[in-house]
Amino acid sequence: MELDKAARLRLDVHADDAAFLAMLAEDVRQGLTAHPRSLPPKYFYDHAGSLLFERITQLPEYYLTRVEEAVLRDVAGEVARRVRPRDIVELGPGSCRKVRWLLDAVDHPGDVRYVPVDVGRDGLAGAVGALLHDYPAIDVHAVVGDFEHHLGRVPPPTGRRLVLFFGSTIGNFDPPARQSLLAQIRGLLGSGGRLLLGVDVVKDRDVLEAAYNDAAGVTREFNRNILRVVNRALDGDFRPEAYRHHAFYRVERSRIEMHLIATAPQRVRLPRLGLVIELAEGEGIWTESSYKFTRESTETMLAGAGLAMEAWYTDDQRRFALVLAQPATSR
Ligand code: AVJ
């Protein structure tokens, strides 16, 4: 059994711990010495941060994950019929839960190769092991890497390709960065290929702000956790409790912004960077942007990367959308 499983699994490692640490050190140096100070949201997700995010997805206020999965459940059959994928690439699959809706909907799962790209080697190996157990017929070519740096390592398509990019992760990227990421994704598609992209939809401010200010305070702890990640990686002495969680919707930019605000003056030592920073009372560290989209702004974003919208699938309250896109024919 295990041998059979191994024969259908290939795992390529492109991002080791040393490279990750070097990247983090440089990002933290740049972010914390700039004004406004900032930290990139990709560093939320150490083991504790991933567990906190998992708890966020179960909060009553945080509708994104639940609604995305409900939409996917509803449209998986139609997407499978339209695309008839042979090769499914997923960026940031986490537990590899969502792809199961598509594997259940395709005609011949035994002809499908699945290519998950994720940063955490152990998490990815575990998720893929469980998937192979439940879908004994598929092939898996897992790529351990950062999809901002290692998309070039994704193997060429074995047949018609479907790229999955769920969870509104695209919303973490500012317009220039998401344009270049989407253009790279377009380059992965090959002939007849499609992208299925999850985007959170612009809506009432109160609903958006509640999703990032939950009553149980899980999002506050998730936000503070980035300081624990930095402390551990760089031997720093941030005091996470000395910062308050501040998340609000900036309408003119269509984005939630998350910040950590010092509640008293702070002196922070980061010996591995040879750096000491001082924050005044009330000074913030910007930890995340989470952009929200309309159908129109999604079309514009796709067009900027040479992609055309083929379908816009949403729930009846239009809270979250899955977008099917293909390379634009003429540019
Ligand atoms: C995983 C990036 C989609 O932006 O909603 C949840 C992360 N931040 N609560 C989001 C997050 C605060 C989440 N994404």
Side-chain angles (χ1 to χ4, degrees), residues 83-90 111-115 139 141 143 151-163 184-194 327:
V83 183
R84 284 178 291 109
R86 289 262 179 156
D87 191 67
I88 300 181
V89 175
E90 184 168 6
D111 297 337
V112 171
R113 180 182 67 169
Y114 177 53
V115 184
D139 283 307
H141 184 151
V143 178
L151 280 193
R153 313 297 183 93
V154 171
T158 51
R160 203 186 345 266
R161 175 170 270 175
L162 175 63
V163 174
Q184 279 193 71
I185 292 173
R186 180 190 187 277
L188 293 177
L189 291 182
S191 156
R194 309 287 213 295

Side-chain angles (χ1 to χ4, degrees), residues 6-300:
R8 289 179 289 108
L9 171 62
R10 172 170 168 182
L11 189 132
D12 292 346
V13 180
H14 298 296
D16 61 12
D17 292 352
F20 184 82
L21 191 60
M23 176 174 71
L24 179 147
E26 191 41 40
D27 287 344
V28 171
R29 176 200 300 285
Q30 275 187 26
L32 289 185
T33 55
H35 295 276
R37 301 183 199 271
S38 66
L39 289 169
K42 65 178 168 186
Y43 298 117
F44 281 127
Y45 304 93
D46 66 343
H47 184 66
S50 299
L51 291 176
L52 284 164
F53 179 66
E54 193 65 34
R55 283 176 62 197
I56 287 174
T57 66
Q58 287 154 23
L59 292 167
E61 298 95 333
Y62 195 80
Y63 58 87
L64 287 79
T65 313
R66 261 190 312 278
V67 177
E68 180 177 54
E69 188 149 357
V71 175
L72 178 58
R73 193 187 51 214
D74 285 351
V75 306
E78 183 181 329
V79 170
R81 274 192 304 280
R82 270 186 193 242
V83 183
R84 284 178 291 109
R86 289 262 179 156
D87 191 67
I88 300 181
V89 175
E90 184 168 6
L91 309 184
S95 62
C96 298
R97 245 172 76 92
K98 290 172 187 162
V99 71
R100 291 166 182 244
W101 292 108
L102 289 158
L103 293 173
D104 289 341
V106 298
D107 277 340
H108 302 286
D111 297 337
V112 171
R113 180 182 67 169
Y114 177 53
V115 184
V117 183
D118 215 317
V119 276
R121 182 197 176 124
D122 296 343
L124 186 57
V128 154
L131 192 73
L132 277 169
H133 178 268
D134 295 340
Y135 295 83
I138 63 169
D139 283 307
V140 175
H141 184 151
V143 178
V144 178
D146 177 336
F147 52 68
E148 279 182 272
H149 295 100
H150 302 110
L151 280 193
R153 313 297 183 93
V154 171
T158 51
R160 203 186 345 266
R161 175 170 270 175
L162 175 63
V163 174
L164 307 175
F165 194 21
F166 288 138
S168 188
T169 305
I170 192 71
N172 274 173
F173 295 85
D174 286 334
R178 69 186 178 236
Q179 182 114 338
S180 87
L181 182 56
L182 286 170
Q184 279 193 71
I185 292 173
R186 180 190 187 277
L188 293 177
L189 291 182
S191 156
R194 309 287 213 295
L195 167 66
L196 188 62
L197 177 71
V199 295
D200 193 16
V201 175
V202 169
K203 60 180 67 64
D204 195 81
R205 167 195 291 266
D206 295 342
V207 177
L208 287 170
E209 290 187 343
Y212 295 84
N213 289 284
D214 62 289
V218 183
T219 308
R220 176 189 64 220
E221 285 317 306
F222 174 76
N223 197 3
R224 286 173 171 169
N225 186 62
I226 202 168
L227 300 180
R228 298 188 190 99
V229 172
V230 171
N231 280 347
R232 190 175 342 102
L234 302 174
D235 207 20
D237 65 356
F238 271 110
R239 295 196 310 115
E241 350 49 79
Y243 298 79
R244 95 188 144 76
H245 170 71
H246 182 45
F248 63 96
Y249 188 56
R250 194 182 284 282
V251 184
E252 71 278 16
R253 297 288 176 95
S254 302
R255 71 187 182 208
I256 289 280
E257 287 184 17
M258 228 163 62
H259 301 259
L260 289 163
I261 312 287
T263 53
Q266 301 292 314
R267 170 174 295 138
V268 184
R269 293 161 203 80
L270 295 161
R272 294 212 185 126
L273 295 180
L275 194 67
V276 178
I277 62 164
E278 306 210 348
L279 287 101
E281 180 180 338
E283 193 176 343
I285 301 173
W286 186 0
T287 52
E288 188 172 48
S289 296
S290 191
Y291 284 85
K292 310 302 168 186
F293 299 87
T294 61
R295 184 176 174 145
E296 291 66 37
S297 69
T298 303
E299 270 180 321
T300 305

